[in-house]
Amino acid sequence: MRRTNHVADPMPEIKRIAIKSIARKALCWPARLLFPPVCAGCRRHVSQPGVLCGACWPKLRLLERPWCPVMGTPFTHSMGEGFLSAEAIADPPPFERARAAVAYSGVARQMVQGLKYQDRTDLAPWMARWMLRAGAELIAEADVVVPVPLHWRRFFRRQFNQSAELARAVAQLGERPFAPSAIKRVKLTRQQVGLERREREENVRAAFKVPDEAEIEIAGRRVLLIDDVYTTGATVRAVARALKKGGAGSVDVLTFARVLPGTFGPTNRRLYSLHDSGTRQGC
């Protein structure tokens, strides 16, 4: 008697998957009609949420290797394995590594200001995706993700912390624990507009503290510190010192944007002041 192999017909399953996909898209149509996706930079209509239009994409400068292994500042060409930038040698930071996704100019600046001053919290997950690309090695080695905190008075006035929104998205996408209360801003610092680097550092000195009840969250762990923009580094340096004093094993820094060294002329000084003129000081 001849034996035959019976193969299940795949068509019913294929049809079921296709129907579910069509149903999902149909449910999205009303939302797309009422709230069409817009460019994250200029708010022109685009095909899907979180993307840039053809005019804005060329204005975004992604930070790429080769870069300083400590500061993450890009080199114009490869300098060899382990080569450090002048900044890392002359003024070693209290954190181990810093990375940023994009240069703070053009559309990146518009996105930061949209998130920070225009309540565009919808931008945070998309900005975080670019941060994951730049900080892949930092996220892979992180034990916990911590945002640069706002002072409670500024948080009460603004109702959200843009650094925490980015950190939450990074932690979720990178599948890492999120500890928004691991460090507090205990001093209401004055605005940093017009201050030189040393004045900025003095302004945020002793401004941060790990609460006693939060020490267990960071004790001996590698902390990934998240902020929106790295300018002079005064704020993230102060936070990193406080985290280490509170028991952190090491600290890495990941930001969405970075004001690049050597470009801090009159134009970027103005951008720097504009960034700082909001309710939270620059980094």
Side-chain angles (χ1 to χ4, degrees):
M1 208 176 153
R2 182 180 297 175
R3 300 181 62 182
T4 59
N5 293 326
H6 294 283
V7 179
D9 183 2
M11 287 309 296
E13 180 64 16
I14 293 173
K15 289 178 180 178
R16 186 182 67 81
I17 294 172
I19 290 170
K20 287 179 68 176
S21 176
I22 292 170
R24 275 198 304 268
K25 291 179 180 178
L27 290 173
C28 292
W29 288 340
R32 285 291 184 94
L33 291 173
L34 292 172
F35 307 104
V38 295
C39 171
C42 67
R43 310 207 72 172
R44 290 189 182 96
H45 287 176
V46 290
S47 60
Q48 56 184 317
V51 301
L52 296 175
C53 68
C56 285
W57 177 251
K59 299 176 184 177
L60 187 74
R61 180 185 173 186
L62 298 173
L63 298 184
E64 307 274 4
R65 286 185 173 85
W67 54 36
C68 171
V70 174
M71 302 305 300
T73 47
F75 296 134
T76 55
H77 58 276
S78 178
M79 307 295 286
E81 185 70 23
F83 188 90
L84 299 181
S85 63
E87 181 184 9
I89 296 171
D91 189 15
F95 49 80
E96 274 59 47
R97 297 169 294 182
R99 299 289 185 269
V102 297
Y104 184 64
S105 62
V107 68
R109 175 174 163 259
Q110 294 170 12
M111 293 176 71
V112 168
Q113 293 190 344
L115 171 63
K116 187 172 180 178
Y117 304 132
Q118 300 167 21
D119 297 336
R120 291 288 311 280
T121 54
D122 59 294
L123 293 176
W126 306 103
M127 296 164 74
R129 282 177 168 82
W130 283 325
M131 293 169 71
L132 255 69
R133 177 180 177 274
E137 59 183 327
L138 277 61
I139 295 166
E141 297 173 17
D143 295 315
V144 62
V145 177
V146 174
V148 169
L150 279 178
H151 190 272
W152 69 266
R153 290 185 183 176
R154 289 201 173 95
F155 184 84
F156 180 78
R157 189 160 60 237
R158 295 193 51 208
Q159 299 298 308
F160 80 99
N161 175 6
Q162 75 281 353
S163 299
E165 296 299 319
L166 291 171
R168 182 181 292 106
V170 167
Q172 183 177 9
L173 292 169
E175 300 181 341
R176 290 292 179 267
F178 175 49
S181 301
I183 190 161
K184 301 288 187 184
R185 188 186 287 253
V186 294
K187 184 173 78 171
L188 185 61
T189 52
R190 64 190 177 110
Q191 289 198 0
Q192 310 231 66
V193 179
L195 299 182
E196 297 298 328
R197 176 169 179 166
R198 295 302 175 189
E199 293 175 313
R200 288 170 176 266
E201 291 175 351
E202 185 60 34
N203 189 35
V204 294
R205 193 181 304 279
F208 304 96
K209 184 179 186 300
V210 175
D212 294 341
E213 65 274 14
E215 288 182 359
I216 192 171
E217 293 185 280
I218 64 167
R221 296 184 174 181
R222 180 179 286 275
V223 175
L224 180 60
L225 180 63
I226 303 292
D227 207 1
D228 54 351
V229 182
Y230 187 115
T231 48
T232 66
T235 298
V236 292
R237 284 170 179 261
V239 177
R241 291 189 188 97
L243 285 167
K244 286 190 170 182
K245 186 176 180 180
S250 62
V251 180
D252 291 319
V253 175
L254 178 60
T255 62
F256 172 68
R258 173 84 185 255
V259 176
L260 297 176
T263 59
F264 195 57
T267 300
N268 273 336
R269 189 176 296 278
R270 180 173 177 271
L271 296 182
Y272 192 34
S273 297
L274 286 171
H275 170 66
D276 287 347
S277 64
T279 55
R280 186 183 71 79
Q281 285 72 29
C283 303

